[in-house]
Amino acid sequence: DAGITQSPRYKITETGRQVTLMCHQTWSHSYMFWYRQDLGHGLRLIYYSAAADITDKGEVPDGYVVSRSKTENFPLTLESATRSQTSVYFCASSESTGQGSGGYTFGSGTRLTVV
Amino acid sequence: GQSLEQPSEVTAVEGAIVQINCTYQTSGFYGLSWYQQHDGGAPTFLSYNALDGLEETGRFSSFLSRSDSYGYLLLQELQMKDSASYFCAVGPPGDDKIIFGKGTRLHILP
C-alpha cells in the first residue's frame, strides 16, 4: 500500500542497547524527517534528509544516527539508548522543501521506552 | 534563532467558533502551516499560507499577516471530533525544514 510506514509501533529496550527505528515511504518523496515528541516540547527535529545519501542534523541530534542509502528508507538508530530517549518518534516525508505541495506526511509513530 | 508561540490550551463549546493564534520570530519567512494531531495519532497537514490573507478549507480557515509575524487557525461549527492538538509551523527561507510550535490542546465541551 502507498504511504509512509514506521516499524515497530512499540518498543521497549534497555539502557545501553542499540535500537533502530525503521521508516519507509512509497511516494519517492525527496525529503524525509525524524521528529521526537515529548510532553511540553512539541515536535523536535532530530535529523532530516533532502535526498538519498544527503542527511543533516536537526535540533536534537545527539545520540542518534541516520542513513539514507535508498530514497524510500530512512532508518534512525539510537547507538546506546538512554532513558532520556524515551519518547514517541515520528518519521515524515515531503515532496518539496518547506510546506508547499500538501505539507509533511507523517507516519504513525514509534513509541519507544528505554528502561 | 527561530521560535513560535501558541497558547498551550484552548476550550470552546460544541457548535461555536474558536481561534488559535500563532506568533513567530524567525530570521526570514517561508510560509505558515497548521497541523492537527489527535491523541495517540500522527500529525496531519491542515493548511498552508504562503501569502498574507485568509485561506478557507471547509470549516477551517487560516490567516497570515507577515508584517505582524502572526497567524491564526479558525475552526467553525465545532464538533467533538475537533478535540485535538493543533500545531503551527514555519519554514525559514533557504532552509529545507520547518519548525513546529509546541502545540495548542483544544478542548471542546458539549
Side-chain angles (χ1 to χ4, degrees):
Chain A
D1 288 347
I4 180 166
T5 55
Q6 292 184 235
S7 60
R9 283 300 308 274
Y10 303 92
K11 176 73 177 178
I12 300 174
T13 192
E14 295 178 337
T15 301
R17 297 265 190 180
Q18 183 180 83
V19 178
T20 295
L21 310 184
M22 306 301 293
C23 180
H24 175 80
Q25 52 105 354
T26 60
W27 294 298
S28 298
H29 282 172
S30 294
Y31 294 87
M32 296 188 75
F33 309 85
W34 274 107
Y35 287 87
R36 61 177 291 175
Q37 186 172 36
D38 307 287
L39 271 175
H41 291 281
L43 290 157
R44 291 185 291 175
L45 182 65
I46 304 171
Y47 269 96
Y48 66 106
S49 169
D53 297 321
I54 300 174
T55 62
D56 207 347
K57 296 178 180 179
E59 182 185 357
V60 288
D62 293 344
Y64 303 95
V65 174
V66 292
S67 62
R68 194 159 177 215
S69 57
K70 293 183 178 181
T71 300
E72 61 266 31
N73 296 323
F74 191 38
L76 175 74
T77 298
L78 288 69
E79 296 183 292
S80 178
T82 65
R83 289 196 179 89
S84 65
Q85 292 178 309
T86 292
S87 186
V88 180
Y89 291 85
F90 286 103
C91 177
S93 72
S94 174
E95 181 179 304
S96 61
T97 300
Q99 308 156 85
S101 303
Y104 289 8
T105 302
F106 284 81
S108 298
T110 295
R111 185 174 293 275
L112 176 68
T113 302
V114 182
V115 299
Chain B
Q2 337 279 356
S3 68
L4 295 96
E5 295 291 330
Q6 52 181 131
S8 58
E9 291 185 88
V10 172
T11 300
V13 178
E14 189 177 15
I17 299 172
V18 71
Q19 178 174 312
I20 300 174
N21 298 321
C22 175
T23 57
Y24 58 87
Q25 292 182 342
T26 66
S27 56
F29 186 76
Y30 192 65
L32 181 71
S33 295
W34 288 93
Y35 288 75
Q36 179 191 59
Q37 184 181 29
H38 288 100
D39 285 348
T44 57
F45 174 78
L46 287 178
S47 67
Y48 170 57
N49 291 70
L51 303 174
D52 290 357
L54 192 68
E55 295 281 342
E56 298 181 64
T57 308
R59 294 186 297 113
F60 292 5
S61 302
S62 56
F63 172 82
L64 174 64
S65 170
R66 288 176 293 171
S67 60
D68 295 325
S69 299
Y70 164 75
Y72 66 72
L73 180 69
L74 190 74
L75 295 81
Q76 303 181 70
E77 300 173 17
L78 284 171
Q79 302 176 7
M80 296 305 292
K81 68 178 182 179
D82 298 329
S83 295
S85 293
Y86 293 85
F87 295 87
C88 60
V90 296
D95 214 332
D96 292 331
K97 58 188 183 295
I98 63 174
I99 302 161
F100 286 86
K102 294 185 177 180
T104 297
R105 180 65 183 254
L106 175 61
H107 303 278
I108 299 177
L109 304 176

